[in-house]
Amino acid sequence: QMEGMTEEAFDVLKREAEDKRKLLHSQKEALSQKQQEELEKMEKEVAQREVQIASEKTAREALELKLAAMQSQIVSTSADDQRVAELEVERQAARAKIDEQLQHEQELREKLKHVDDDHINIEEEFATLQEELTAKTKKLKKLWTRYETVRADLADQQGMNQREREDLLAIVRQQDRDLKLKMLVVASFIPE
């Protein structure tokens, strides 16, 4: 069930990024050269985010497969009940971290949605070109500030996710070594 939610969350995030790219592309034709350059820069960053989303999705799926493999090994090995309980607690902690990452990604999606809503409001009508230029410049500065805030939050989250991923991989490796050792001990003392 969690795997389905993860897939859905990534699909929603990818669709939102694609919608944002389409919106930016349609607005690019009506804006000045400088604004077009800024929109092109934002489009590149959206494309980079899509690539990051795909790589995070792949890493998360691999981690979930490893967790599932660990769980099946825990179930099949009854040599050390206390260690099995510890492994289960660690698996649940890893699952909680994944849930926390999903929650944070949802919050980032909400922030991106607000930025998209503000981009839609750029299309307001004005009496003169100067009024339009002034209003759009103010709006662009405001949006750029929001964009930088979201980008900084995203960078912080990615760094945190990378550290958590490394911690989880270290746990998985240690558990794998422990399990192999226990299986070797069981195989040595219990004849087949």
Side-chain angles (χ1 to χ4, degrees):
Q1 179 184 4
M2 179 56 75
E3 194 170 305
M5 287 176 53
T6 300
E7 191 72 32
E8 179 181 298
F10 279 108
D11 289 344
V12 167
L13 192 57
K14 186 175 180 181
R15 279 195 305 272
E16 287 175 0
E18 288 172 359
D19 291 344
K20 184 175 180 180
R21 183 185 305 181
K22 288 177 186 175
L23 176 65
L24 291 173
H25 183 69
S26 67
Q27 290 177 350
K28 185 167 69 171
E29 295 173 359
L31 300 177
S32 71
Q33 178 65 27
K34 182 176 180 182
Q35 291 170 329
Q36 285 182 2
E37 289 173 2
E38 289 180 13
L39 281 177
E40 287 174 2
K41 181 179 177 184
M42 291 171 73
E43 284 177 337
K44 288 178 185 176
E45 290 173 355
V46 167
Q48 289 173 348
R49 178 61 183 143
E50 288 174 335
V51 169
Q52 291 171 342
I53 289 167
S55 67
E56 287 180 12
K57 177 181 176 183
T58 303
R60 181 170 286 115
E61 288 172 351
L63 185 58
E64 286 181 354
L65 287 174
K66 286 183 180 182
L67 288 174
M70 285 172 40
Q71 185 178 15
S72 68
Q73 289 174 350
I74 290 171
V75 171
S76 66
T77 304
S78 61
D80 186 4
D81 289 339
Q82 182 179 2
R83 183 62 182 152
V84 169
E86 290 172 6
L87 290 174
E88 181 64 21
V89 167
E90 290 175 358
R91 186 193 65 79
Q92 290 175 353
R95 175 63 67 188
K97 285 183 181 183
I98 289 173
D99 291 342
E100 184 179 315
Q101 287 176 350
L102 288 173
Q103 177 65 30
H104 189 72
E105 287 176 7
Q106 178 65 29
E107 291 170 5
L108 289 177
R109 262 198 309 279
E110 301 266 335
K111 286 182 181 180
L112 284 173
K113 184 178 179 189
H114 290 300
V115 170
D116 287 341
D117 292 342
D118 289 339
H119 279 283
I120 291 172
N121 293 334
I122 288 178
E123 296 299 320
E124 297 172 7
E125 293 185 26
F126 299 94
T128 67
L129 289 175
Q130 185 60 36
E131 288 177 12
E132 182 178 3
L133 179 63
T134 303
K136 285 188 177 183
T137 301
K138 286 180 183 178
K139 187 159 282 210
L140 188 59
K141 286 179 182 178
K142 180 180 175 183
L143 291 173
W144 186 255
T145 302
R146 280 189 186 174
Y147 170 76
E148 290 294 327
T149 301
V150 169
R151 193 172 80 173
D153 289 347
L154 182 61
D156 291 344
Q157 180 62 30
Q158 287 173 341
M160 196 168 74
N161 287 349
Q162 182 64 31
R163 286 188 298 276
E164 288 177 0
R165 232 182 262 119
E166 291 170 3
D167 291 344
L168 291 174
L169 286 173
I171 289 170
V172 167
R173 288 184 186 116
Q174 181 62 42
Q175 290 174 347
D176 190 42
R177 284 191 296 268
D178 292 347
L179 184 61
K180 286 180 182 176
L181 176 63
K182 290 181 187 315
M183 290 173 75
L184 181 63
V185 169
V186 169
S188 298
F189 291 106
I190 300 175
E192 293 186 33

